[in-house]
Amino acid sequence: MESTSGKYEGLGMEIDSRDDYITIVTPMEGTPAYRKGLKSGDKITKINGQSTLDMTTADAAKLMRGPAGTSVNLIIKREGIANELDFEVERAVIELKSVNFYGVIEGTDIGYIRLSRFAEETSHELRDAIVELNGKGINSLIFDLRSNGGGLLQQAVETAELFIEEGKLVVYTRGKFAESERRLYSQRKPLFPDKPLVVLVNEGSASASEIVSGAIQDWDRGIIMGYPTYGKGLVQQVFPIGSDNDVALKLTTAKYYIPSGRCIQKPENQNKDGHGDKIAQTDSTPVDSLKISDKEIYYTNSGRVVYGGGGILPDVELEHEDIYKPIELALERRGVFFDFAVKKFAANPDMTVDLE
């Protein structure tokens, strides 16, 4: 799978369905789509002769993916050009980076790493990034897990062990029966063991992101900042049904728990019993679907109070700001800003991206 293997065979671009046709949102730098000169805003009207009118992005992706070295024909309608363009693009192995960016914040000794997924090469990419940042003399680090929906469990463990001591519990799974419990520990010395660490999370941080941020929080290794996370902590197995494997049964067999004993999964019934102590009623402000007064108390390694109820509650919770007005949100959903940018750059080819 693309999200966990970190690679796939295809053209290398993000697509969307706009105005009844498949539209290129952005070609990834260094990929066949980028080298052939495909641009943001290009409308793909045909793929190998098949019209994309009312086609879903999933169906379009299937048509464009295939063995590396083979070709796919795209008919493109580009803003500002009357005639359609014909592209023959050779497929290649597309490498998807987990670490989208890392560097030192200008004028400081603070490092920053942005991680978008937990795929097969995630821990290797992170190790390379941390080694380089350490070499540049950083004294603190911002680790950005916002909108990271997770991925491979083993990569979550290997990521956590970059920051917490060797031999520490990272996560465990618990099913219906006690003997099914499985515990995973950090097995290497950390590369960034004791300097200040801030982990950024939001509502899109899920699964492996919650394992990592939860372990860091429970071992008091760093500060979690942002918004309450998604609460996705189910261990599921997929069982093919039928001879052609087109249908499968997804069965939940266990749940993920972090070192303090908190379950990552947000319960469907918020009144279910947990494994923590019930909190006395207070007048606390709610931070998500449950008020603090309804949550269970757990404790970090140093005895600091943290709360259960699913997901990870940040140590420093930010207030949501209404950055956009309703009319601006409506325009964004309709793709008006994207369409304007496409037309503006088509009409002004010498314009640079840093325009004001």
Side-chain angles (χ1 to χ4, degrees), residues 82-102:
N83 297 327
E84 290 186 324
L85 306 175
D86 191 321
F87 286 85
E88 196 76 19
V89 190
E90 184 176 307
R91 299 179 178 99
V93 176
I94 309 300
E95 301 281 350
L96 296 174
K97 293 293 185 181
S98 298
V99 177
N100 300 84
F101 175 84
Y102 67 92

Side-chain angles (χ1 to χ4, degrees), residues 146-253:
R146 290 176 297 180
S147 300
N148 182 325
L152 298 176
L153 171 61
Q154 184 58 38
Q155 289 301 311
V157 175
E158 292 182 18
T159 295
E161 67 186 12
L162 295 171
F163 305 105
I164 64 177
E165 294 179 13
E166 185 179 7
K168 296 293 187 182
L169 177 65
V170 175
V171 63
Y172 64 96
T173 63
R174 178 187 295 156
K176 184 176 182 181
F177 304 104
E179 59 270 20
S180 68
E181 185 168 301
R182 178 187 176 203
R183 291 177 171 257
L184 299 174
Y185 297 84
S186 58
Q187 297 181 350
R188 305 183 198 180
K189 291 183 178 180
L191 290 180
F192 199 78
D194 48 20
K195 294 178 181 178
L197 172 66
V198 172
V199 182
L200 302 181
V201 297
N202 64 4
E203 303 91 333
S205 306
S207 190
S209 291
E210 295 173 297
I211 291 172
V212 172
S213 56
I216 288 173
Q217 187 179 55
D218 282 352
W219 288 112
D220 300 294
R221 174 59 193 91
I223 298 297
I224 313 301
M225 177 182 291
Y227 307 103
T229 62
Y230 186 84
K232 182 181 179 183
L234 296 179
V235 181
Q236 296 178 316
Q237 289 182 279
V238 178
F239 299 93
I241 299 174
S243 56
D244 54 5
N245 292 336
D246 283 343
V247 181
L249 171 66
K250 183 182 288 187
L251 184 65
T252 298
T253 57

Side-chain angles (χ1 to χ4, degrees), residues 258-335:
I258 50 178
S260 62
R262 291 179 288 167
C263 180
I264 290 175
Q265 181 68 21
K266 284 188 178 177
E268 295 178 10
N269 181 354
Q270 302 285 18
N271 294 321
K272 286 182 180 178
D273 292 334
H275 299 281
D277 305 318
K278 197 68 175 179
I279 302 175
Q281 295 295 313
T282 69
D283 294 324
S284 299
T285 303
V287 294
D288 61 4
S289 58
L290 277 177
K291 294 181 179 179
I292 286 291
S293 59
D294 295 327
K295 291 184 178 293
E296 298 161 337
I297 287 181
Y298 294 81
Y299 302 95
T300 68
N301 184 55
S302 66
R304 187 166 54 91
V305 171
V306 287
Y307 300 103
I312 304 300
L313 295 184
D315 302 305
V316 179
E317 186 177 355
L318 305 179
E319 292 185 6
H320 281 280
E321 297 181 3
D322 294 328
I323 301 175
Y324 300 108
K325 298 177 181 177
I327 188 172
E328 293 171 328
L329 291 172
L331 292 172
E332 171 62 23
R333 283 195 296 269
R334 291 176 178 270

